Each structure stands twice: as structure tokens, then as C-alpha cells.
Amino acid sequence: MCAAFSLLAQVQASASRTTTTITGTRIRTSVSTFASSTAAQTLALAKKQITFSGVLVPQGTALRKSKGMKRIGNIYGKICSMDNLILADDIARKGKKDQYGIKVHDRNRMGNLEALRDQLLGRTFKTSKYTTFKVYEPKERDVYRLPYFPDRIVHHAIMNVLEPMFVSVFTADTYSCIKGRGIHAAARAVRRALRDEPGTTYCLKFDIRKFYPTVDHRTLKDLLRRKIKDQDLLWLLDGIIDSADGLPIGNYLSQYFANFYLSYFDHWVKEHLQVKYYFRYADDIVILGPDKQDLHLVLLKCTDYLADQLRLAVKGNYQVFPVAARGIDFVGYKFYHTHTLLRKSIKKRFARTMRRRPNPQSLAAYYGWAKHANCINLIKTLSRESVQPIQHYCYVPRTCGRQNQDRQNT
């Protein structure tokens, strides 16, 4: 950074020396014009270098506020405005109008929203008590649930304003809970990368051990302060973060906090390690490369970074393997260079669903998975064995998947 400032000063000085005075008027010569152009280009380069050095956190150093990043402020009033609270209420209730909590809230909707605005402006709002329940698909997890009013409305009110800030930090290789960047966007990106067969010979696949429960609150708050300077908003976010251990699964804000928590790691992998093929869906990470030993070295560096910077641990079941031999099990699919299959567990659930009389919504969900893979034979087989053929619910094209049809999922 110092070298960039020194270079800039030298160019600006040379530009000032290439001027001459004629009859009291300073006229820049053609050399001066060239020097000014060079100075402008060097200024832009210097600024880019300064910003770059500020964005990345070198491995082994403590997290710190970046001087090159502009922080946002004076947005708490927008979050607390009645217009935003009404909009948040409208969004939060979509598809849930028959829930008991919404019916109770609607008995005095405007009065509740006005009271909520007063709590936010007076900084008396507190996160309500959680209730928890377990889900067992695909594995056992504790899911946290908050009341519709006031908590879910507050979370949507925050994201109505903050979502553009969060998305601006994410890399193009980050998926999950981002508009336009879900499962199928991640699958398309992996398929595009696999067209470069020599550059994707091997795959490194790992995830983070108990990611949501082990997110460190202090580190998350420090990261948020690198982007936000509004003290009232930071007070509100701190209260929500401290309302449960880690990040509670089920909170609307948790999915954005989770992506944001790993966003600087994403930048570090892409820009410091210079990894070309990198994909992250929540805490599942896939890295592709031409050399097995290089991927082992990348794994070692990622493990150290996650432990030192974010206090996270890589799960012990990491894998480095040839793509052609095993395929990449990621976002519900198994990817090869020549074709894409459904994950085995999803295929089994699809078959179980088809054996009984499925409702259109369930069938459409599974068909949505299958149509993005090479599964035409699978769909035909399940349609013959099911109580009601799949064609009864949705149109099945002659081919499913856009890749090689020689190898089908049967």
C-alpha cells in the first residue's frame, strides 16, 4: 500500500514539472497531457491496490476493519418506518395466512405494528423465547421457531433494507438462500466447470463440523462492523445474534448471517489461493483442480484459515478423489464429466413417493429434481410402477437433462 502511494506521488510530481508559463497563463504541453493521463491511470491502479489489500484478511492475522471498504449508516430509520414494517408483514405471511399466530396478529394489525415501531425506535425490543422441534430429513436437527409477531416481522423488515448489502459481499460462487442462486444455479455452474475436463480431474469436497451451532458471535459481530456503522442497527442485530447459541436453524436472518460469515473466506479462496473452480452451498464446499497434491495443500490452508479466522473446524470426512471414478455428490446430484445423476437417497424417496398415490405438489418437487439430470429412464420406470403415471401430473419431455443421454439413471 505504501509503495502504491509513493508511485502515485512520483507521477503527480512529474506531471507538475511538465508545465510552462506563457504570458502569465499556465499551459500544459503535450508531454504534460501524457503525464496527466498516466497519473490518472496510476491513481486508479493505486486505489484498486489499496482496496484489494483492505478487503482480504491475510491468513494468520486477526480480523480487522478494512480501510478500503465503505460502511453503511443512517438506515435504522428506514427499517423502523411504518411502510417497511407493513411490507415486512405482507412478505412474512405469504403462504401462511391460516397460521394461528397471523390470525391473532390480524385482530389488531396496525396497532401491533405501531407498538413494534415504538419498541424499535425506543430500543426496547427484545427477541422472544424460542420453541424448538426436531427434523430427521436428511438428518436429525434442532429447528428453532419464533412467534410471528413481533420477531418474524422484524427479521423481514431488517432484510428488506440489508439484503442488497449482504448480496454485494457474496462471491458469484456462493449459493443457498440467495435469490436466483439456489440448487439448480449451483448445479449449472458445476456442469459448466466440468466441461474443462483436464482442469477438473480431481475434486476436493468438505464441509464444516456443526456449522450453524458453532458460529462465533464475537467474530460475526466484528464482521458486521466492517460493513455497518449505524449503532442503532448494530444494537438490534447484536440482540438477535445473542438470543441463541451459534445461529439458530429456522431463523430467517440466520441463513444470511451464515453466508455472510463465510463470505470473506470465499474471497480469500478465490483471490488469495487463486482457486478457479470453487463452489459453496451453505457449508458444503467443492473445489476442482487438475492436481491431487495441490488440492490437499488447499485443504490444509482452508483448515487453518477457518480455525484461525472464524473458529470453525472442517469435518473429518473430507475427500480428495478423481471425478471420473466417483462423481461429485453435491446439491442433490452426482456430477460426472459426461452426465449428471440424481443422488441415490433422493432417487429412493422419489420411488417410495411414486408407489403410493402422490399429491401433485410432492410429485412436482421430485420431478423438478429429475428434469435437471439424465433421468428419462428413471421417470419412465417409476411411471410404469406407480399407482398413477407421472404424466398425469406434469408434462414429461422426450429427454430429461441436457447432457449425454448414452448413460441413463435407471
Side-chain angles (χ1 to χ4, degrees):
M1 189 184 302
C2 293
F5 279 124
S6 176
L7 178 61
L8 178 59
Q10 291 174 10
V11 174
Q12 287 176 334
S14 66
S16 64
R17 288 195 296 269
T18 56
T19 61
T20 182
T21 304
I22 300 178
T23 62
T25 305
R26 297 181 63 83
I27 303 175
R28 295 190 179 275
T29 65
S30 59
V31 177
S32 165
T33 304
F34 174 77
S36 299
S37 175
T38 306
Q41 294 174 3
T42 308
L43 175 60
L45 177 61
K47 287 183 176 179
K48 185 176 287 188
Q49 291 173 342
I50 294 166
T51 302
F52 180 80
S53 64
V55 169
L56 294 179
V57 182
Q59 187 177 6
T61 61
L63 288 169
R64 61 184 183 274
K65 185 177 73 175
S66 170
K67 294 181 180 179
M69 297 179 65
K70 183 177 180 181
R71 298 193 299 160
I72 59 174
N74 300 320
I75 56 174
Y76 190 67
K78 297 178 183 178
I79 293 172
C80 301
S81 69
M82 279 300 296
D83 288 342
N84 187 48
L85 293 177
I86 292 171
L87 176 61
D89 190 6
D90 291 338
I91 296 173
R93 69 176 58 222
K94 283 185 178 179
K96 306 171 185 176
K97 293 182 179 179
D98 293 331
Q99 288 187 0
Y100 176 75
I102 296 177
K103 291 180 178 180
V104 172
H105 166 61
D106 283 344
R107 294 172 188 170
N108 185 25
R109 183 188 182 194
M110 295 309 298
N112 288 338
L113 293 179
E114 289 174 359
L116 175 57
R117 181 191 59 186
D118 293 341
Q119 290 179 23
L120 292 172
L121 292 174
R123 292 179 56 157
T124 59
F125 171 82
K126 290 184 179 179
T127 298
S128 304
K129 185 177 180 180
Y130 288 94
T131 58
T132 61
F133 62 94
K134 290 185 180 293
V135 295
Y136 299 93
E137 192 70 36
K139 61 183 179 182
E140 182 177 340
R141 286 191 178 99
D142 289 324
V143 178
Y144 291 74
R145 179 167 49 200
L146 284 169
Y148 177 80
F149 176 84
D151 300 271
R152 291 191 222 170
I153 295 176
V154 169
H155 290 193
H156 280 275
I158 292 170
M159 289 313 305
N160 286 347
V161 177
L162 281 191
E163 184 175 5
M165 182 276 290
F166 280 123
V167 174
S168 70
V169 178
F170 302 153
T171 69
D173 312 286
T174 303
Y175 302 90
S176 171
C177 305
I178 306 171
K179 292 177 182 177
R181 285 198 255 167
I183 287 172
H184 298 309
R188 286 192 297 270
V190 173
R191 282 197 290 264
R192 280 195 301 270
L194 289 174
R195 294 173 187 169
D196 176 15
E197 192 164 343
T200 59
T201 307
Y202 293 94
C203 172
L204 163 61
K205 186 175 185 294
F206 66 93
D207 62 350
I208 296 169
R209 184 173 63 85
K210 296 186 180 298
F211 172 51
Y212 276 81
T214 58
V215 167
D216 181 68
H217 287 186
R218 181 176 178 180
T219 304
L220 176 57
K221 291 176 183 178
D222 288 343
L223 290 172
L224 287 169
R225 279 157 175 78
R226 297 174 68 183
K227 290 295 294 181
I228 301 170
K229 61 183 178 181
D230 189 314
Q231 294 302 312
D232 290 326
L233 175 56
L234 289 171
W235 162 82
L236 178 61
L237 296 177
D238 288 351
I240 294 172
I241 290 169
D242 291 334
S243 64
D245 294 335
L247 291 178
I249 298 174
N251 260 12
Y252 181 57
L253 276 178
S254 291
Q255 57 197 20
Y256 288 94
F257 284 154
N259 270 334
F260 181 73
Y261 195 74
L262 290 175
S263 61
Y264 293 96
F265 171 71
D266 298 335
H267 283 280
W268 178 79
V269 170
K270 293 292 290 184
E271 298 161 15
H272 182 74
L273 297 185
Q274 296 291 305
V275 171
K276 183 177 181 180
Y277 298 121
Y278 170 83
F279 312 94
R280 179 173 67 79
Y281 190 91
D283 64 323
D284 291 332
I285 296 168
V286 165
I287 298 175
L288 305 176
D291 186 88
K292 188 174 183 179
Q293 295 305 318
D294 287 347
L295 290 181
H296 277 289
L297 182 60
V298 168
L299 173 63
L300 181 62
K301 292 181 177 180
C302 288
T303 301
D304 289 343
Y305 182 100
L306 291 168
D308 295 342
Q309 303 287 350
L310 301 176
R311 302 187 181 186
L312 297 173
V314 172
K315 196 179 291 186
N317 62 349
Y318 61 84
Q319 307 167 53
V320 179
F321 56 90
V323 174
R326 294 175 49 185
I328 305 165
D329 191 340
F330 185 57
V331 295
Y333 296 99
K334 202 155 190 178
F335 299 94
Y336 295 85
H337 288 109
T338 56
H339 60 291
T340 302
L341 306 179
L342 271 183
R343 180 181 286 164
K344 188 175 181 179
S345 60
I346 295 176
K347 185 170 64 174
K348 286 182 176 180
R349 292 202 301 270
F350 191 4
R352 285 196 297 267
T353 300
M354 291 297 292
R355 289 193 188 102
R356 55 183 185 268
R357 187 176 296 276
N359 62 62
Q361 292 80 9
S362 296
L363 187 58
Y366 283 112
Y367 177 66
W369 286 90
K371 73 178 183 179
H372 291 277
N374 303 102
C375 294
I376 186 65
N377 286 346
L378 171 66
I379 292 176
K380 287 180 178 178
T381 301
L382 293 179
S383 293
R384 286 195 299 268
E385 296 176 354
S386 66
V387 175
Q388 190 69 263
I390 192 171
Q391 288 88 344
H392 180 78
Y393 297 97
C394 51
Y395 168 71
V396 180
R398 288 182 177 271
T399 58
C400 289
R402 302 175 182 176
Q403 296 178 323
N404 186 332
Q405 292 295 328
D406 295 334
R407 301 171 68 178
Q408 299 290 345
N409 189 1
T410 53

